Amino acid sequence: MAPIFEAQLRAVSLRVTRPRLAVLATLRDHPHIDTETVLALVREELPAVSHQAVYDVLRALTDAGLIRRIQPPGGIARYESRVGDNHHHVVCRSCGVIADVDCAAGHAPCLTASDDHGFVIDEAEVVYWGDCPDCAARNSPTSEGIS
């Protein structure tokens, strides 16, 4: 998979470095993770990588459009490598797990605002909130009283 990541980096005029490759691989394998988790997973491959280096890589990759930073209201920033398709997210109110949600209409109707105020809109963020299946089962009235 490294040749694909190398090509992605070169396509946006970024140098190919081991930390950048490691962050891209980590986000491919673990979408929607926070900076500390990225750091911990990258350090499994590159033990000497600094905290600042990972922050710098995340910023550079986000600025280049290779990864996406998402931050649901009230939550911490998370990162994902799925970019360019204007997908949305569903967030569990109980445990904070995040999952991708494709547009239900089969296209991106959310990019057609009722009033765009003259903006050229290229992205919309929709966040659905609820309980994930595990939390819903734990929080259901039928699970309370069962030992």
Side-chain angles (χ1 to χ4, degrees):
M1 203 46 104
I4 290 171
F5 296 145
E6 290 173 10
Q8 288 176 329
L9 290 167
R10 287 187 179 104
V12 295
S13 300
L14 288 176
R15 284 185 315 116
V16 175
T17 65
R18 292 186 68 210
R20 287 177 178 163
L21 294 172
V23 167
L24 286 169
T26 296
L27 292 176
R28 178 203 56 212
D29 296 340
H30 306 278
H32 311 125
I33 57 175
D34 61 82
T35 306
E36 293 302 317
T37 305
V38 173
L39 177 63
L41 292 169
V42 167
R43 280 187 172 162
E44 289 178 7
E45 182 181 338
L46 304 172
V49 74
S50 72
H51 198 233
Q52 188 61 49
V54 170
Y55 268 102
D56 292 345
V57 167
L58 289 169
R59 187 176 321 107
L61 296 177
T62 300
D63 290 348
L66 293 179
I67 64 172
R68 182 175 172 194
R69 181 183 187 270
I70 59 170
Q71 188 166 4
I76 60 173
R78 310 280 184 113
Y79 295 88
E80 66 180 347
S81 60
R82 184 176 170 186
V83 297
D85 64 353
N86 200 54
H87 70 279
H88 309 303
H89 297 97
V90 60
V91 181
C92 180
R93 288 186 194 279
S94 298
C95 70
V97 71
I98 300 174
D100 291 334
V101 177
D102 291 323
C103 183
H107 62 288
C110 53
L111 292 181
T112 307
S114 61
D115 183 354
D116 63 19
H117 299 278
F119 284 67
V120 177
I121 298 173
D122 63 5
E123 183 177 13
E125 288 190 28
V126 176
V127 178
Y128 300 95
W129 293 89
D131 282 334
C132 70
D134 290 340
C135 291
R138 273 194 300 277
N139 298 334
S140 74
T142 57
S143 67
E144 292 176 6
I146 299 176
S147 344

